[in-house]
Amino acid sequence: ATLASNDVDICLIPEGPFDVDKLCTYIGQRLDRHGHCIIVIAEGAGTEHFKDADLGVDASGNRRLPDVGLWLKEQIRSWWQEHGRAIQVRYIDPSYQLRSVSANPSDSVYCSDLGSTAVHGCMAGFTGFSAGRINQRYVYIPIEEMCKAKKVKVDTKSRVYNRMVVHTGQPDLAPDDWEPTSPVDKIILES
């Protein structure tokens, strides 16, 4: 979404930890140059700031975390207040906006096909599955198999990620004392 938009100034993802001081400093630079700064925050970004938070786990077994958007809004506001600059910080949670957008014709056909596939599967006696499309074919996917799937991680050395960084112009926002935790992160630090 960040690459598709020419409006985003900073994109924060779970695989790229960020330092609040570095982030706020860069926000100030963007404000000075352009008068605004638009930040996109992916779900799961900023987990390094919630190490002690224990909100249990969700139905999928993932650790529940505080709302990073609301937390970051307050961090940015208070950081700038401490540094003697009054800035206006707005937080927009797009989840309701996304749900309220009308489906385009392709979405409508796709959803209709998924629904028909699911109904046909149930009428054939299948249970514990989800309907999906793989290689342009509608298929039944066992729920157990879907739950076994590895979590997708963004490779911060990939071409797409680097295009996003160049597109936004954002600097390296990682904390100076950041220690990699995944093999992908270790490769990044060693290069």
Side-chain angles (χ1 to χ4, degrees), residues 47-132:
T47 56
E48 67 274 12
H49 299 285
F50 303 116
K51 289 179 182 165
D52 298 329
D54 184 13
L55 301 176
V57 294
D58 63 17
S60 301
N62 297 317
R63 186 175 149 221
R64 288 184 195 258
L65 296 169
D67 186 326
V68 67
L70 292 173
W71 175 84
L72 189 58
K73 175 186 175 184
E74 182 54 33
Q75 292 295 310
I76 293 168
R77 190 196 59 72
S78 63
W79 192 91
W80 281 106
Q81 191 172 24
E82 289 172 14
H83 287 78
R85 183 174 179 179
I87 66 168
Q88 208 174 53
V89 182
R90 295 186 186 118
Y91 172 65
I92 300 169
D93 182 347
S95 59
Y96 293 109
Q97 292 174 338
L98 294 175
R99 291 183 198 127
S100 66
V101 173
S102 299
N104 64 34
S106 295
D107 291 339
S108 296
V109 170
Y110 181 54
C111 290
S112 177
D113 289 345
L114 286 175
S116 295
T117 302
V119 168
H120 287 292
C122 291
M123 291 176 72
F126 293 111
T127 60
F129 73 94
S130 178

Side-chain angles (χ1 to χ4, degrees), residues 29-40:
Q29 293 168 4
R30 293 293 303 179
L31 290 173
D32 292 341
R33 281 192 306 239
H34 302 284
H36 69 275
C37 181
I38 297 175
I39 305 170
V40 172

Side-chain angles (χ1 to χ4, degrees), residues 12-13 16-20 23 45-49 68 71-72 173-175:
L12 303 174
I13 62 171
F18 62 90
D19 178 81
V20 174
L23 176 65
T47 56
E48 67 274 12
H49 299 285
V68 67
W71 175 84
L72 189 58
L173 299 171

